[in-house]
Amino acid sequence: MGAGPRRGAGPPDGGWGWVVLAACFVITGFAYAFPKAVSVFFRALMRDFGAGYSDTAWVSSIMLAMLYGTGPVSSILVTRFGCRPVMLVGGLLASAGLTLASFATRLLELYLTAGVLTGLGLALNFQPSLIMLGLYFERRRPLANGLAAAGSPVFLSALSPLGQLLLERFGWRGGFLLFGGLLLHCCACGAVMRPPGPARAPRVGHARGEEAEAADGTGPRPRAAPPAGRAPRRRLLDVAVCTDRAFLVYVVTKFLMALGLFVPAILLVNYAKDSGVPDAEAAFLLSIVGFVDIVARPACGALAGLARLRPHVPYLFSLALLANGLTDLSSAHARSYGTLVAFCVAFGLSYGMVGALQFEVLMATVGAPRFPSALGLVLLVEAVAVLIGPPSAGRLVDALKNYAIIFYLAGSEVALAGIFMAAATFCCLRRRRSQDAPASPASEGRASDTEEAEVEAEGDSDPPPASTEMPSRLEALEMLSPLAGSPELEAEAEPRPGHEECV
């Protein structure tokens, strides 16, 4: 499936990519739903350990912080070992974390198991799945991102009621143990994440040293030789992406967004319970958010893929952030079950738009070759915000017993992120247009004369090589392939008969 010859070069936008998309859907669901779903167990944890809400909220916060903060580590491991082995190890770690958490006797043990171990395992699954998705989709990438992001609401709508059911029948320890077994599905998802095959970087046969075939099918062509005196090297983490202004704008936006985006979802169940809503109906509120989110993410991804809107995806992302922030602000005093349901519908719609667009904006900003490193650095910055936002909100709830202030703070932070993203993107684009403005006719004429003079001076010399300003799509995919960072390729070793690529 998807490994045979196909027309042209670049991602196939289908084939085995649909299997990768399905696995990414499951991984995204686990990564984003679990930190919110475990909030169902918070009241039982507070009762058994005699702790406050802010202390138990650290379980979700540490899990999210590990999910985001280990982004650079995940980028390095993916570059060195490939997506599949990293995801298999991550699935085992995620499962082991929640399994060990079921035997915890202190909150500190919960922090280390459910927080650190499970969060690290989810991180080692989440980031490689997004990288593989970018390798298999280009033209349909916004839709693919939206469909993969829909895994979060689907799993949230299922895991929250399931957690409440397990809590009632088996207690929080039995619920953690069964959730740990459920996370073993991450290993199955990692098993299907095979690297892009020969169709992604056309070569005759499977041996690494064989000649590559021309994209137009005219025959074999030799591989490009490395620069004289240097062997090609693959950076494990490309920090040079931080010099890109558009990337820095995105990083600041994500930091402001992460301060308040997750707070309402984490506090929602306990807020409803404290308002007198029965436990089962309170847990169902997260399912309502999930149901709306399920529709919003694919729809927004399809909308962002339209030819007229795709160049303006950053502004669409800004609009989604602004809508989410205004929803929090307008629903700060929601107390009845009806108003809470209305809040969940509006929040799920805007939250789904944010989830569908956030990684599409990053891919469009930095490009495929730098996406793994950029994603790792973005997640690291976001981890700092996650460690500040939800725990601070929980401490304010314990001190003030007032949820309205929390909704005001969270809404203001997310709305500010949307305004900053739109304003900074507009300024960057306007400055870039002014820099890329066409030169005057006189200067163009001088440049043309200079080029003609250079051509005449060269005479009958060999034709110049193809432009190397930007790496081709095939080169970008080869750079992102797990094989690109292997010692064999770095040394440009001689071809070894019978040695095949890992697929």
Side-chain angles (χ1 to χ4, degrees):
M1 295 177 62
R6 58 185 177 80
R7 296 191 302 265
D13 285 299
W16 189 255
W18 296 117
V19 180
V20 173
L21 174 59
C24 190
F25 174 89
V26 175
I27 294 297
T28 304
F30 280 134
Y32 278 114
F34 254 93
K36 305 179 186 70
V38 296
S39 64
V40 174
F41 301 100
F42 281 179
R43 275 201 165 186
L45 295 175
M46 292 165 61
R47 182 182 63 251
D48 286 2
F49 293 108
Y53 184 82
S54 60
D55 295 327
T56 54
W58 272 99
V59 176
S60 291
S61 296
I62 294 175
M63 194 182 298
L64 285 170
M66 292 300 297
L67 175 64
Y68 297 135
T70 55
V73 177
S74 183
S75 297
I76 292 173
L77 291 177
V78 166
T79 304
R80 181 65 183 88
F81 300 106
C83 292
R84 182 186 291 170
V86 172
M87 293 181 69
L88 291 174
V89 173
L92 294 176
L93 287 177
S95 176
L98 278 186
T99 302
L100 293 175
S102 65
F103 300 98
T105 57
R106 295 181 299 169
L107 275 178
L108 178 61
E109 296 173 2
L110 276 180
Y111 297 159
L112 295 176
T113 54
V116 175
L117 269 183
T118 300
L120 177 60
L122 292 175
L124 295 182
N125 277 272
F126 177 60
Q127 186 171 338
S129 67
L130 289 178
I131 294 173
M132 293 297 295
L133 192 67
L135 294 183
Y136 277 95
F137 289 91
E138 181 180 15
R139 182 174 57 86
R140 297 175 178 170
R141 194 180 65 201
L143 177 60
N145 276 319
L147 290 172
S152 173
V154 169
F155 276 65
L156 182 60
S157 61
L159 290 178
S160 181
L162 178 61
Q164 185 67 37
L165 179 63
L166 295 178
L167 177 63
E168 294 172 356
R169 293 194 177 185
F170 305 105
W172 67 267
R173 294 185 185 275
F176 275 20
L177 183 63
L178 293 173
F179 271 169
L182 194 62
L183 282 175
L184 286 175
H185 287 83
C186 294
C187 296
C189 294
V192 305
M193 294 289 184
R194 74 184 187 194
R200 227 63 70 231
R203 297 176 188 174
V204 179
H206 292 284
R208 291 181 185 175
E210 294 180 2
E211 292 180 333
E213 187 165 0
D216 57 0
T218 57
R221 58 178 175 81
R223 293 180 60 183
R230 289 187 301 170
R233 300 182 62 186
R234 171 77 172 117
R235 292 183 181 180
L236 295 179
L237 187 66
D238 185 9
V239 296
V241 70
C242 297
T243 60
D244 190 338
R245 281 198 307 269
F247 174 73
L248 294 178
V249 168
Y250 183 84
V251 168
V252 175
T253 301
K254 287 283 284 183
F255 179 81
L256 294 173
M257 179 197 80
L259 285 175
L261 183 67
F262 306 109
V263 170
I266 292 176
L267 294 179
L268 180 60
V269 174
N270 285 277
Y271 173 44
K273 291 179 179 179
D274 290 345
S275 301
V277 178
D279 290 356
E281 294 181 4
F284 187 69
L285 289 174
L286 283 180
S287 299
I288 296 175
V289 175
F291 293 147
V292 178
D293 206 351
I294 290 170
V295 179
R297 296 198 183 209
C300 188
L303 185 68
L306 296 178
R308 293 186 178 182
L309 289 180
R310 192 166 185 182
H312 308 291
V313 166
Y315 295 108
L316 193 60
F317 181 54
S318 303
L319 179 62
L321 289 172
L322 183 61
N324 187 270
L326 294 178
T327 299
D328 294 342
L329 293 174
S330 60
S331 305
H333 293 282
R335 304 290 292 182
S336 66
Y337 190 70
T339 55
L340 287 174
V341 169
F343 163 75
C344 290
V345 172
F347 182 84
L349 181 62
S350 58
Y351 189 81
M353 293 175 63
V354 173
L357 297 174
Q358 56 180 341
F359 296 116
E360 170 62 26
V361 174
L362 180 60
M363 288 180 184
T365 299
V366 301
R370 297 193 295 177
F371 179 70
S373 297
L375 179 60
L377 294 172
V378 167
L379 294 179
L380 177 61
V381 172
E382 199 169 355
V384 178
V386 169
L387 279 176
I388 296 174
S392 301
R395 194 164 295 279
L396 286 174
V397 168
D398 289 338
L400 304 176
K401 308 297 181 184
N402 188 348
Y403 285 90
I405 296 177
I406 309 303
F407 279 83
Y408 283 137
L409 286 176
S412 300
E413 290 158 353
V414 178
L416 178 62
I419 295 172
F420 172 80
M421 180 71 180
T425 301
F426 177 76
C427 294
C428 288
L429 289 178
R430 185 173 59 181
R431 186 171 182 177
R432 186 172 298 174
R433 289 195 192 101
S434 63
Q435 290 175 350
D436 296 342
S440 61
S443 61
E444 288 181 356
R446 288 194 299 269
S448 177
D449 294 339
T450 304
E451 291 175 0
E452 290 178 0
E454 290 176 355
V455 171
E456 291 175 0
E458 289 178 0
D460 295 329
S461 60
D462 294 335
S467 174
T468 57
E469 256 182 47
M470 294 290 292
S472 68
R473 170 62 57 177
L474 291 177
E475 293 169 345
L477 292 171
E478 240 183 308
M479 291 170 65
L480 285 176
S481 173
L483 299 175
S486 63
E488 292 86 359
L489 287 183
E490 290 180 0
E492 287 294 312
E494 293 295 327
R496 292 174 288 179
H499 187 75
E500 296 183 351
E501 283 188 321
C502 175
V503 295

